[in-house]
Amino acid sequence: MAIRVGTLIVIMCIIAAIDVQGIGASSTYYDLAAKDFGGIVSVRPLAFLAISKSDDLARIVRLAYISDDLTVAARGNGHSINGQAMAEGGLVIDMRSVESGHFGLVKANGSTYYADVPGGALWEDVLDWCLAQGLSPRSNTDYLRLTVGGTLSNAGVGGHTFRFGPQTSNVAELEVITGKGQRVVCSEKENAELFFGALGGLGQFGIITRAQILLQPAPDMVRWIRLVYTDFDEFTQDAESLVTAPEGQSFDYIEGIVVVNGDDPFNGWPSVPLHPNQTFNSDLIPQSAGPMLYCLEVTLHYKKYDSRTAIDVTVDSLLRQLRYVEGLDFQADVSYRDFLLRVKWEEQAARAEGAWDKPHRWLNIFLSRTDIAEFDHAAFKTILKDGIGGRLLVYPVLRRNFDDRTSLVLPEAEIFYIVSILRLGLPIPNEPSVGRMISQDKEIIKVCEDNAFDYKLYLWNFETQEEWKRHFGKKWGMFARRKMMFDPKAILSPGQNIFT
Ligand code: FAD
């Protein structure tokens, strides 16, 4: 690759002036910057830098700002699907090394606590640090080996979102290095434009080096429950009644899983029970059931000293209102930490199957409740009826818990569903090629377009600015204006493909 003289000088300045712990000299380390969880896109950076101090990171961004053409991509844990954390011919920063391990507890008014953590910290480490103080982040993603800055640049959604909103609604303050290399502390009250821009901002306005995360007292245990439905309308009505019920009259975590109505070990009945001593009695499924089953997944938090009888009574009274197939309900008591780390155990199983390193094609959609039944017919029961060798999620959340001042865009409806088609590479009959997965996704998006569904894609990587403009809709003007304010030379997160 030809390197401009100006760029070369910048690189030499970086190496000479800054405490770079690692530079992409060893090919394995360097290769990491050209790889992500998707395993489909791969572009080579000029260098992959591990820097320990955020001051040095600011100096690097300033040098890139005055260079002719250098771009800078923050790389969290590389769990993007389409090269969003890559920078072709640019600098990729290993955020895991920046200010790593510098955690602090901030007490605000009353009994409110925040964890002050580095942007490159893994949520798993944040959780463990908080649990040691008897606290926990309020809103968690399903998988915690993601970084704080990585999910805050998107939204960070999961089974607590219906109550507390996404992770972007649970942050009090950020420290951000803008595209001009300026280090700025921002919050709702101070530098609000940058604060709300960076939340859900796809890394376009600055690199998040610190974040203050809202906490709550941690439960010790959860009652983890899965309830099987054959009727999609009954499943959605029950899920919506639970997410709209007041706190104390519902569960603490609510998601939904779609499984194949068959004995396929990874995609069907055997994937539902929560414990090896539980079996799925398929005789209980009525003849009228379709190709897919729907599984409401909920938890109730409790403390070790709470009486099990009291928990049973609360659970029974909540379950009594629901219309799942009797006998197809599964319960387990696990520690709160084990529950939040559940996908890590799935990761280990997927690695053992050789599935974790396969290419992964994911499609995430926020879709209005008014369109979800039609989507079920056209997508789950038709295009995806053989399963996907991974997780198919569908669960409702409330728009009012998302802060509209952030960069994230949402459907118009007050209740919308998070639909996640998460192909993990587990075996399925007639496993499709990557090309077939891409065309499946296009078919599903076409269903949404042709039916004029009220929807937005989440974690998607559009190819042209025109498509991004359509995606942002009426927020595009604000997004572009913030870009001019904070990263006028468009050097940050080039892998998102929004500005050049
Ligand atoms: P990366 O993929 O490394 O980066 C993502 C983007 O953010 C890039 O553009 C990058 O440049 C930018 N970026 C990274 N760090 C910073 C920073 N500090 N400051 C500014 N910009 C930054 N998402 C959910 O919402 N809920 C889930 O439950 C969930 N589960 C997942 C499970 C798995 C197995 C995987 C692979 C992904 C999951 N995701 C989930 C998606 C996840 O939120 C995104 O992949 C997200 O990008 C976080 O990953 P990361 O920290 O590795 O960031």
Side-chain angles (χ1 to χ4, degrees):
M1 180 197 310
I3 302 174
R4 289 205 206 182
V5 176
T7 306
L8 200 59
I9 292 170
V10 170
I11 291 289
M12 285 163 68
C13 289
I14 290 171
I15 296 169
I18 286 167
D19 172 23
V20 178
Q21 286 182 324
I23 188 158
S26 91
S27 64
T28 10
Y29 188 60
Y30 181 79
D31 285 350
L32 207 60
K35 221 173 147 185
D36 64 17
F37 182 76
I40 295 168
V41 174
S42 175
V43 295
R44 292 241 145 206
L46 185 64
F48 185 30
L49 305 175
I51 300 153
S52 53
K53 297 192 189 80
S54 50
D55 275 344
D56 288 341
L57 176 54
R59 288 161 78 188
I60 287 183
V61 178
R62 278 200 295 278
L63 286 168
Y65 180 60
I66 57 167
S67 78
D68 304 323
D69 54 4
L70 258 191
T71 56
V72 180
R75 183 183 196 273
N77 207 23
H79 276 57
S80 295
I81 296 295
N82 286 307
Q84 287 97 326
M86 295 181 195
E88 189 165 14
L91 303 176
V92 175
I93 310 295
D94 180 1
M95 290 306 294
R96 301 268 314 268
S97 66
V98 182
E99 303 292 342
S100 78
H102 291 187
F103 289 26
L105 191 65
V106 178
K107 188 173 190 311
N109 42 5
S111 55
T112 309
Y113 285 94
Y114 296 94
D116 189 50
V117 299
L122 290 181
W123 282 104
E124 182 179 317
D125 296 335
V126 174
L127 175 72
D128 279 339
W129 187 86
C130 292
L131 288 178
Q133 340 274 326
L135 297 164
S136 164
R138 298 198 312 175
S139 182
N140 296 283
T141 48
D142 294 344
Y143 177 67
L144 302 189
R145 293 193 65 75
L146 308 169
T147 63
V148 169
T151 65
L152 292 183
S153 297
N154 287 292
V157 295
H160 303 127
T161 303
F162 78 97
R163 172 150 308 140
F164 297 120
Q167 290 175 324
T168 44
S169 296
N170 290 276
V171 193
E173 188 180 285
L174 296 175
E175 179 190 87
V176 174
I177 294 171
T178 68
K180 297 177 187 170
Q182 290 164 339
R183 208 157 110 158
V184 183
V185 172
C186 54
S187 65
E188 184 174 12
K189 301 241 163 70
E190 193 185 351
N191 300 308
E193 193 86 36
L194 181 58
F195 180 69
F196 290 116
L199 294 172
L202 308 172
Q204 294 306 298
F205 310 113
I207 299 178
I208 298 168
T209 47
R210 297 201 70 74
Q212 281 188 9
I213 311 297
L214 184 53
L215 306 177
Q216 66 178 359
D220 299 314
M221 302 288 293
V222 306
R223 173 70 54 89
W224 184 6
I225 303 167
R226 286 187 179 159
L227 309 163
V228 176
Y229 290 73
T230 55
D231 185 287
F232 188 69
D233 289 340
E234 288 180 356
F235 162 78
T236 53
Q237 282 160 20
D238 281 358
E240 288 179 27
S241 84
L242 288 175
V243 300
T244 49
E247 198 169 343
Q249 293 174 38
S250 183
F251 291 98
D252 295 301
Y253 157 103
I254 298 172
E255 287 201 4
I257 308 168
V258 186
V259 295
V260 170
N261 186 8
D263 60 3
D264 179 321
F266 296 108
N267 303 278
W269 308 323
S271 66
V272 178
L274 292 169
H275 194 273
N277 68 10
Q278 296 172 345
T279 49
F280 188 104
N281 182 358
S282 57
D283 293 343
L284 297 173
I285 301 172
Q287 289 294 321
S288 57
M292 304 311 255
L293 302 175
Y294 311 94
C295 185
L296 201 53
E297 180 174 73
V298 294
T299 71
L300 193 75
H301 294 169
Y302 63 92
K303 288 290 214 185
K304 271 194 201 127
Y305 51 73
D306 286 333
S307 110
R308 286 288 170 95
T309 321
I311 301 302
D312 289 342
V313 169
T314 309
V315 167
D316 286 349
S317 80
L318 287 167
L319 295 191
R320 220 170 294 128
Q321 309 158 23
L322 306 176
R323 285 167 295 168
Y324 56 90
V325 180
E326 236 185 287
L328 292 182
D329 53 313
F330 303 88
Q331 301 195 19
D333 289 282
V334 296
S335 77
Y336 176 65
R337 180 177 186 272
D338 278 355
F339 175 72
L340 289 185
L341 295 185
R342 65 201 178 282
V343 179
K344 187 176 169 177
W345 319 131
E346 282 186 35
E347 171 182 350
Q348 282 168 5
R351 281 189 190 280
E353 284 288 323
W356 200 255
D357 294 321
K358 284 189 188 170
H360 301 110
R361 180 74 197 181
W362 282 17
L363 175 60
N364 288 278
I365 308 174
F366 295 158
L367 177 64
S368 162
R369 69 179 290 274
T370 50
D371 301 318
I372 197 70
E374 236 175 294
F375 184 90
D376 170 52
H377 276 288
F380 295 142
K381 287 195 176 103
T382 310
I383 302 170
L384 304 172
K385 67 176 182 335
D386 294 329
I388 56 159
R391 282 272 173 217
L392 267 177
L393 304 181
V394 57
Y395 56 96
V397 292
L398 307 177
R399 198 181 200 282
R400 63 171 175 264
N401 291 331
F402 287 68
D403 193 324
D404 218 17
R405 295 169 294 179
T406 68
S407 296
L408 183 68
V409 282
L410 300 172
E412 296 298 323
E414 169 52 18
I415 298 179
F416 66 87
Y417 279 75
I418 295 177
V419 177
S420 296
I421 299 165
L422 313 175
R423 299 180 184 91
L424 287 173
L426 296 167
I428 46 171
N430 312 318
E431 190 171 327
S433 61
V434 172
R436 175 66 196 126
M437 293 184 221
I438 293 174
S439 63
Q440 264 186 352
D441 288 353
K442 284 189 178 152
E443 262 179 83
I444 294 169
I445 296 171
K446 190 167 181 310
V447 166
C448 297
E449 280 295 309
D450 289 352
N451 292 290
F453 286 168
D454 175 17
Y455 81 103
K456 289 290 173 192
L457 298 180
Y458 173 54
L459 299 166
W460 194 249
N461 198 222
F462 294 100
E463 283 167 19
T464 65
Q465 196 177 71
E466 275 318 300
E467 290 171 300
W468 277 113
K469 280 186 186 168
R470 266 195 77 206
H471 168 74
F472 280 106
K474 54 183 190 284
K475 275 196 176 176
W476 172 255
M478 180 178 71
F479 198 83
R481 185 171 49 79
R482 286 175 173 166
K483 186 71 175 174
M484 281 310 293
M485 284 170 79
F486 303 115
D487 181 25
K489 287 177 81 177
I491 65 171
L492 296 177
S493 285
Q496 295 281 3
N497 221 2
I498 308 175
F499 299 96
T500 48

